[in-house]
Amino acid sequence: MYFLKKDIQSLESTYRINIINSITGIKPANLIGTIAKNNITNLAIFSSVVHIGSNPALIGMFSRPVEKVVRNTLTNILSTKMYTINHVHEKYYKNAHKTSVKYSQEESEFDKCNFNEEYLYNFKVPFVKESNIKIGMKYIDHIDINLNNTVLIIGEVQNITIDDSIVSDNGYLNLENAKSVGISGCNSYYSLKKINDLEYVENKNNK
């Protein structure tokens, strides 16, 4: 199977979406927790969370804008400046997938999808109790990407909650032990299996 650019553009819409979303490989599955000014909580699954930097600790994620379709996650983040990132546990991936349904703004996905809100460290936004890796985030900035009308949200890590059994002596996380899952495309879920730890490869030319 081989596609040129013109072939990709002529593909049936759903097929094109699926193949382009899948070719980058397995992406992290995360539930983004937010809260509106009227205190109604929101939970949405994202597969676009990316590491930006460690000092300061910055994490990015991509979202569609709110112009044509209501995006409660983006609206709430811009309003309250706080949100949480929660790994999807393999036991609850079906529940997590259901958060992609367009519920009304008066309904909370925590309730509709059977997740429990967890408030930690006096953080005003709920974490997902069922997640083994939880990150409290503060909104820093966002960048509008005009090429495809998406938004890159940039946040700074405020707190992290991880079970001790998941963290190695050197700080690496064992995502297999965390029971975290990944996503390929829009709706294919994968469990994660660790293969090995390799030594850090140092470039001697940079010494």
Side-chain angles (χ1 to χ4, degrees):
M1 190 174 289
Y2 176 71
F3 299 100
L4 291 170
K5 179 180 178 180
K6 63 180 179 64
D7 301 321
I8 296 170
Q9 292 173 329
S10 65
L11 291 172
E12 187 274 326
S13 175
T14 301
Y15 188 90
R16 183 178 66 249
I17 289 171
N18 289 338
I19 198 167
I20 297 302
N21 270 284
S22 299
I23 57 174
T24 55
I26 296 174
K27 299 163 287 187
N30 286 286
L31 287 165
I32 307 302
T34 61
I35 191 168
K37 283 191 172 181
N38 60 3
N39 290 324
I40 294 178
T41 57
N42 180 268
L43 195 63
I45 190 164
F46 275 69
S47 62
S48 61
V49 173
V50 294
H51 166 85
I52 292 181
S54 300
N55 187 22
L58 300 176
I59 296 175
M61 67 179 193
F62 292 89
S63 172
R64 294 288 179 182
V66 296
E67 295 174 354
K68 295 182 179 179
V69 179
V70 175
R71 308 284 177 182
N72 293 327
T73 298
L74 179 57
T75 299
N76 291 347
I77 290 174
L78 295 178
S79 175
T80 66
K81 314 299 184 186
M82 308 295 283
Y83 56 103
T84 66
I85 300 175
N86 308 268
H87 282 217
V88 174
H89 190 288
E90 64 180 25
K91 183 178 178 181
Y92 303 100
Y93 75 93
K94 291 183 179 180
N95 304 59
H97 187 69
K98 290 178 182 178
T99 64
S100 60
V101 173
K102 301 301 180 186
Y103 298 102
S104 74
Q105 290 180 288
E106 289 71 38
E107 296 176 303
S108 171
E109 288 81 359
F110 278 94
D111 297 329
K112 302 297 290 186
C113 302
N114 297 314
F115 285 105
N116 290 295
E117 299 176 14
E118 186 175 33
Y119 291 88
L120 304 169
Y121 321 111
N122 295 317
F123 207 68
K124 295 181 179 180
V125 180
F127 297 87
V128 176
K129 187 174 183 179
E130 291 77 8
S131 174
N132 282 333
I133 300 176
K134 320 176 211 290
I135 313 164
M137 301 293 299
K138 177 183 178 181
Y139 164 84
I140 298 297
D141 197 2
H142 72 276
I143 299 171
D144 295 318
I145 302 173
N146 296 323
L147 287 171
N148 65 348
N149 205 28
T150 56
V151 179
L152 171 60
I153 302 167
I154 301 172
E156 184 175 15
V157 175
Q158 303 298 294
N159 55 65
I160 305 171
T161 304
I162 314 172
D163 189 276
D164 290 348
S165 63
I166 297 170
V167 188
S168 69
D169 292 339
N170 57 9
Y172 285 113
L173 303 189
N174 188 318
L175 300 181
E176 181 180 1
N177 288 348
K179 304 297 182 184
S180 297
V181 302
I183 299 177
S184 174
C186 299
N187 55 5
S188 296
Y189 290 82
Y190 290 78
S191 61
L192 304 180
K193 181 176 177 59
K194 182 177 178 179
I195 299 174
N196 198 1
D197 284 324
L198 300 180
E199 292 184 5
Y200 176 76
V201 179
E202 185 175 2
N203 189 343
K204 295 182 180 179
N205 293 328
N206 290 335
K207 287 187 174 180

PDB file of all heavy atoms in Angstrom, residues 82 84 118-125 127 134-137 158-163:
ATOM      1  N   MET A  82      -6.603  26.435  35.423  1.00  0.00           N
ATOM      2  CA  MET A  82      -6.157  25.226  36.102  1.00  0.00           C
ATOM      3  C   MET A  82      -6.817  24.010  35.458  1.00  0.00           C
ATOM      4  O   MET A  82      -7.947  24.077  34.984  1.00  0.00           O
ATOM      5  CB  MET A  82      -6.521  25.268  37.593  1.00  0.00           C
ATOM      6  CG  MET A  82      -6.083  26.529  38.326  1.00  0.00           C
ATOM      7  SD  MET A  82      -4.286  26.732  38.414  1.00  0.00           S
ATOM      8  CE  MET A  82      -3.909  25.556  39.708  1.00  0.00           C
ATOM      9  N   THR A  84      -6.309  19.253  35.247  1.00  0.00           N
ATOM     10  CA  THR A  84      -5.553  18.067  35.648  1.00  0.00           C
ATOM     11  C   THR A  84      -5.386  17.129  34.454  1.00  0.00           C
ATOM     12  O   THR A  84      -6.217  17.087  33.546  1.00  0.00           O
ATOM     13  CB  THR A  84      -6.246  17.293  36.798  1.00  0.00           C
ATOM     14  OG1 THR A  84      -7.495  16.738  36.334  1.00  0.00           O
ATOM     15  CG2 THR A  84      -6.489  18.200  37.989  1.00  0.00           C
ATOM     16  N   GLU A 118     -11.551  13.460  42.653  1.00  0.00           N
ATOM     17  CA  GLU A 118     -10.637  13.422  43.792  1.00  0.00           C
ATOM     18  C   GLU A 118      -9.931  14.773  43.886  1.00  0.00           C
ATOM     19  O   GLU A 118      -9.281  15.209  42.931  1.00  0.00           O
ATOM     20  CB  GLU A 118      -9.617  12.296  43.630  1.00  0.00           C
ATOM     21  CG  GLU A 118      -8.718  12.108  44.842  1.00  0.00           C
ATOM     22  CD  GLU A 118      -7.798  10.908  44.692  1.00  0.00           C
ATOM     23  OE1 GLU A 118      -7.385  10.605  43.556  1.00  0.00           O
ATOM     24  OE2 GLU A 118      -7.491  10.271  45.718  1.00  0.00           O
ATOM     25  N   TYR A 119     -10.068  15.421  45.026  1.00  0.00           N
ATOM     26  CA  TYR A 119      -9.450  16.727  45.239  1.00  0.00           C
ATOM     27  C   TYR A 119      -8.244  16.558  46.160  1.00  0.00           C
ATOM     28  O   TYR A 119      -8.358  16.037  47.267  1.00  0.00           O
ATOM     29  CB  TYR A 119     -10.458  17.708  45.828  1.00  0.00           C
ATOM     30  CG  TYR A 119     -11.537  18.097  44.848  1.00  0.00           C
ATOM     31  CD1 TYR A 119     -12.707  17.334  44.732  1.00  0.00           C
ATOM     32  CD2 TYR A 119     -11.386  19.194  44.012  1.00  0.00           C
ATOM     33  CE1 TYR A 119     -13.689  17.675  43.815  1.00  0.00           C
ATOM     34  CE2 TYR A 119     -12.368  19.542  43.090  1.00  0.00           C
ATOM     35  CZ  TYR A 119     -13.515  18.782  42.998  1.00  0.00           C
ATOM     36  OH  TYR A 119     -14.481  19.119  42.076  1.00  0.00           O
ATOM     37  N   LEU A 120      -7.064  16.981  45.679  1.00  0.00           N
ATOM     38  CA  LEU A 120      -5.810  16.782  46.392  1.00  0.00           C
ATOM     39  C   LEU A 120      -5.054  18.096  46.525  1.00  0.00           C
ATOM     40  O   LEU A 120      -5.132  18.954  45.635  1.00  0.00           O
ATOM     41  CB  LEU A 120      -4.930  15.766  45.654  1.00  0.00           C
ATOM     42  CG  LEU A 120      -5.537  14.379  45.379  1.00  0.00           C
ATOM     43  CD1 LEU A 120      -4.655  13.606  44.409  1.00  0.00           C
ATOM     44  CD2 LEU A 120      -5.720  13.616  46.675  1.00  0.00           C
ATOM     45  N   TYR A 121      -4.305  18.242  47.603  1.00  0.00           N
ATOM     46  CA  TYR A 121      -3.378  19.367  47.811  1.00  0.00           C
ATOM     47  C   TYR A 121      -4.068  20.729  47.697  1.00  0.00           C
ATOM     48  O   TYR A 121      -3.470  21.700  47.250  1.00  0.00           O
ATOM     49  CB  TYR A 121      -2.213  19.333  46.798  1.00  0.00           C
ATOM     50  CG  TYR A 121      -1.694  17.964  46.500  1.00  0.00           C
ATOM     51  CD1 TYR A 121      -1.880  17.382  45.248  1.00  0.00           C
ATOM     52  CD2 TYR A 121      -1.008  17.228  47.468  1.00  0.00           C
ATOM     53  CE1 TYR A 121      -1.402  16.125  44.969  1.00  0.00           C
ATOM     54  CE2 TYR A 121      -0.518  15.966  47.191  1.00  0.00           C
ATOM     55  CZ  TYR A 121      -0.720  15.417  45.947  1.00  0.00           C
ATOM     56  OH  TYR A 121      -0.252  14.161  45.674  1.00  0.00           O
ATOM     57  N   ASN A 122      -5.330  20.799  48.064  1.00  0.00           N
ATOM     58  CA  ASN A 122      -6.097  22.046  47.954  1.00  0.00           C
ATOM     59  C   ASN A 122      -6.186  22.544  46.516  1.00  0.00           C
ATOM     60  O   ASN A 122      -6.414  23.733  46.274  1.00  0.00           O
ATOM     61  CB  ASN A 122      -5.497  23.146  48.839  1.00  0.00           C
ATOM     62  CG  ASN A 122      -5.584  22.807  50.314  1.00  0.00           C
ATOM     63  OD1 ASN A 122      -6.612  22.314  50.780  1.00  0.00           O
ATOM     64  ND2 ASN A 122      -4.501  23.039  51.047  1.00  0.00           N
ATOM     65  N   PHE A 123      -5.975  21.640  45.558  1.00  0.00           N
ATOM     66  CA  PHE A 123      -6.100  21.980  44.144  1.00  0.00           C
ATOM     67  C   PHE A 123      -7.586  22.090  43.818  1.00  0.00           C
ATOM     68  O   PHE A 123      -8.372  21.217  44.181  1.00  0.00           O
ATOM     69  CB  PHE A 123      -5.428  20.901  43.285  1.00  0.00           C
ATOM     70  CG  PHE A 123      -4.934  21.387  41.961  1.00  0.00           C
ATOM     71  CD1 PHE A 123      -3.877  22.275  41.881  1.00  0.00           C
ATOM     72  CD2 PHE A 123      -5.519  20.942  40.788  1.00  0.00           C
ATOM     73  CE1 PHE A 123      -3.405  22.717  40.652  1.00  0.00           C
ATOM     74  CE2 PHE A 123      -5.059  21.370  39.556  1.00  0.00           C
ATOM     75  CZ  PHE A 123      -3.995  22.270  39.487  1.00  0.00           C
ATOM     76  N   LYS A 124      -7.973  23.140  43.139  1.00  0.00           N
ATOM     77  CA  LYS A 124      -9.390  23.443  42.946  1.00  0.00           C
ATOM     78  C   LYS A 124     -10.048  22.635  41.835  1.00  0.00           C
ATOM     79  O   LYS A 124     -11.263  22.691  41.661  1.00  0.00           O
ATOM     80  CB  LYS A 124      -9.561  24.939  42.672  1.00  0.00           C
ATOM     81  CG  LYS A 124      -9.154  25.816  43.856  1.00  0.00           C
ATOM     82  CD  LYS A 124      -9.369  27.282  43.562  1.00  0.00           C
ATOM     83  CE  LYS A 124      -8.973  28.139  44.763  1.00  0.00           C
ATOM     84  NZ  LYS A 124      -9.167  29.594  44.494  1.00  0.00           N
ATOM     85  N   VAL A 125      -9.251  21.907  41.061  1.00  0.00           N
ATOM     86  CA  VAL A 125      -9.783  21.115  39.947  1.00  0.00           C
ATOM     87  C   VAL A 125      -9.675  19.627  40.303  1.00  0.00           C
ATOM     88  O   VAL A 125      -8.671  19.200  40.865  1.00  0.00           O
ATOM     89  CB  VAL A 125      -9.006  21.427  38.645  1.00  0.00           C
ATOM     90  CG1 VAL A 125      -9.555  20.617  37.483  1.00  0.00           C
ATOM     91  CG2 VAL A 125      -9.091  22.920  38.336  1.00  0.00           C
ATOM     92  N   PHE A 127      -9.071  15.617  40.246  1.00  0.00           N
ATOM     93  CA  PHE A 127      -8.308  14.552  39.614  1.00  0.00           C
ATOM     94  C   PHE A 127      -9.237  13.351  39.436  1.00  0.00           C
ATOM     95  O   PHE A 127     -10.335  13.302  39.997  1.00  0.00           O
ATOM     96  CB  PHE A 127      -7.115  14.139  40.475  1.00  0.00           C
ATOM     97  CG  PHE A 127      -6.098  15.227  40.682  1.00  0.00           C
ATOM     98  CD1 PHE A 127      -6.224  16.138  41.724  1.00  0.00           C
ATOM     99  CD2 PHE A 127      -4.997  15.340  39.842  1.00  0.00           C
ATOM    100  CE1 PHE A 127      -5.284  17.140  41.919  1.00  0.00           C
ATOM    101  CE2 PHE A 127      -4.056  16.333  40.025  1.00  0.00           C
ATOM    102  CZ  PHE A 127      -4.200  17.232  41.065  1.00  0.00           C
ATOM    103  N   LYS A 134      -1.418  11.146  38.237  1.00  0.00           N
ATOM    104  CA  LYS A 134      -2.237  12.349  38.187  1.00  0.00           C
ATOM    105  C   LYS A 134      -1.325  13.573  38.242  1.00  0.00           C
ATOM    106  O   LYS A 134      -0.386  13.624  39.032  1.00  0.00           O
ATOM    107  CB  LYS A 134      -3.225  12.398  39.360  1.00  0.00           C
ATOM    108  CG  LYS A 134      -3.875  11.075  39.747  1.00  0.00           C
ATOM    109  CD  LYS A 134      -4.756  11.250  40.975  1.00  0.00           C
ATOM    110  CE  LYS A 134      -4.824  10.005  41.835  1.00  0.00           C
ATOM    111  NZ  LYS A 134      -5.561   8.906  41.218  1.00  0.00           N
ATOM    112  N   ILE A 135      -1.630  14.569  37.406  1.00  0.00           N
ATOM    113  CA  ILE A 135      -0.803  15.767  37.300  1.00  0.00           C
ATOM    114  C   ILE A 135      -1.675  17.000  37.410  1.00  0.00           C
ATOM    115  O   ILE A 135      -2.638  17.154  36.648  1.00  0.00           O
ATOM    116  CB  ILE A 135      -0.047  15.801  35.955  1.00  0.00           C
ATOM    117  CG1 ILE A 135       0.622  14.456  35.663  1.00  0.00           C
ATOM    118  CG2 ILE A 135       0.986  16.925  35.939  1.00  0.00           C
ATOM    119  CD1 ILE A 135       1.043  14.286  34.216  1.00  0.00           C
ATOM    120  N   GLY A 136      -1.360  17.879  38.350  1.00  0.00           N
ATOM    121  CA  GLY A 136      -2.059  19.154  38.470  1.00  0.00           C
ATOM    122  C   GLY A 136      -1.358  20.204  37.635  1.00  0.00           C
ATOM    123  O   GLY A 136      -0.139  20.378  37.740  1.00  0.00           O
ATOM    124  N   MET A 137      -2.115  20.906  36.800  1.00  0.00           N
ATOM    125  CA  MET A 137      -1.536  21.817  35.821  1.00  0.00           C
ATOM    126  C   MET A 137      -2.054  23.253  35.991  1.00  0.00           C
ATOM    127  O   MET A 137      -3.196  23.474  36.360  1.00  0.00           O
ATOM    128  CB  MET A 137      -1.876  21.345  34.403  1.00  0.00           C
ATOM    129  CG  MET A 137      -1.388  19.961  34.047  1.00  0.00           C
ATOM    130  SD  MET A 137       0.419  19.852  33.964  1.00  0.00           S
ATOM    131  CE  MET A 137       0.774  21.018  32.655  1.00  0.00           C
ATOM    132  N   GLN A 158       2.120  21.615  38.444  1.00  0.00           N
ATOM    133  CA  GLN A 158       2.028  22.139  39.805  1.00  0.00           C
ATOM    134  C   GLN A 158       2.197  21.045  40.857  1.00  0.00           C
ATOM    135  O   GLN A 158       2.699  21.298  41.949  1.00  0.00           O
ATOM    136  CB  GLN A 158       0.666  22.825  40.009  1.00  0.00           C
ATOM    137  CG  GLN A 158       0.394  23.952  39.025  1.00  0.00           C
ATOM    138  CD  GLN A 158       1.387  25.089  39.146  1.00  0.00           C
ATOM    139  OE1 GLN A 158       1.437  25.787  40.163  1.00  0.00           O
ATOM    140  NE2 GLN A 158       2.198  25.278  38.111  1.00  0.00           N
ATOM    141  N   ASN A 159       1.756  19.851  40.548  1.00  0.00           N
ATOM    142  CA  ASN A 159       1.906  18.725  41.473  1.00  0.00           C
ATOM    143  C   ASN A 159       1.757  17.420  40.713  1.00  0.00           C
ATOM    144  O   ASN A 159       1.179  17.381  39.626  1.00  0.00           O
ATOM    145  CB  ASN A 159       0.902  18.813  42.629  1.00  0.00           C
ATOM    146  CG  ASN A 159      -0.531  18.930  42.153  1.00  0.00           C
ATOM    147  OD1 ASN A 159      -1.061  18.010  41.544  1.00  0.00           O
ATOM    148  ND2 ASN A 159      -1.168  20.073  42.410  1.00  0.00           N
ATOM    149  N   ILE A 160       2.314  16.368  41.283  1.00  0.00           N
ATOM    150  CA  ILE A 160       2.260  15.042  40.676  1.00  0.00           C
ATOM    151  C   ILE A 160       1.912  14.029  41.762  1.00  0.00           C
ATOM    152  O   ILE A 160       2.474  14.072  42.860  1.00  0.00           O
ATOM    153  CB  ILE A 160       3.616  14.643  40.048  1.00  0.00           C
ATOM    154  CG1 ILE A 160       4.091  15.704  39.044  1.00  0.00           C
ATOM    155  CG2 ILE A 160       3.527  13.288  39.369  1.00  0.00           C
ATOM    156  CD1 ILE A 160       5.517  15.489  38.563  1.00  0.00           C
ATOM    157  N   THR A 161       1.008  13.112  41.444  1.00  0.00           N
ATOM    158  CA  THR A 161       0.674  12.022  42.357  1.00  0.00           C
ATOM    159  C   THR A 161       0.914  10.701  41.643  1.00  0.00           C
ATOM    160  O   THR A 161       0.288  10.413  40.621  1.00  0.00           O
ATOM    161  CB  THR A 161      -0.796  12.105  42.809  1.00  0.00           C
ATOM    162  OG1 THR A 161      -1.043  13.373  43.407  1.00  0.00           O
ATOM    163  CG2 THR A 161      -1.100  11.007  43.816  1.00  0.00           C
ATOM    164  N   ILE A 162       1.857   9.915  42.163  1.00  0.00           N
ATOM    165  CA  ILE A 162       2.218   8.636  41.562  1.00  0.00           C
ATOM    166  C   ILE A 162       2.423   7.608  42.668  1.00  0.00           C
ATOM    167  O   ILE A 162       3.049   7.899  43.684  1.00  0.00           O
ATOM    168  CB  ILE A 162       3.533   8.737  40.747  1.00  0.00           C
ATOM    169  CG1 ILE A 162       3.547   9.970  39.847  1.00  0.00           C
ATOM    170  CG2 ILE A 162       3.748   7.478  39.912  1.00  0.00           C
ATOM    171  CD1 ILE A 162       4.882  10.219  39.173  1.00  0.00           C
ATOM    172  N   ASP A 163       1.924   6.409  42.467  1.00  0.00           N
ATOM    173  CA  ASP A 163       2.168   5.330  43.411  1.00  0.00           C
ATOM    174  C   ASP A 163       3.665   5.004  43.437  1.00  0.00           C
ATOM    175  O   ASP A 163       4.317   4.960  42.395  1.00  0.00           O
ATOM    176  CB  ASP A 163       1.368   4.098  43.002  1.00  0.00           C
ATOM    177  CG  ASP A 163       1.400   3.018  44.061  1.00  0.00           C
ATOM    178  OD1 ASP A 163       2.379   2.238  44.065  1.00  0.00           O
ATOM    179  OD2 ASP A 163       0.483   2.957  44.882  1.00  0.00           O
TER     180      ASP A 163
END
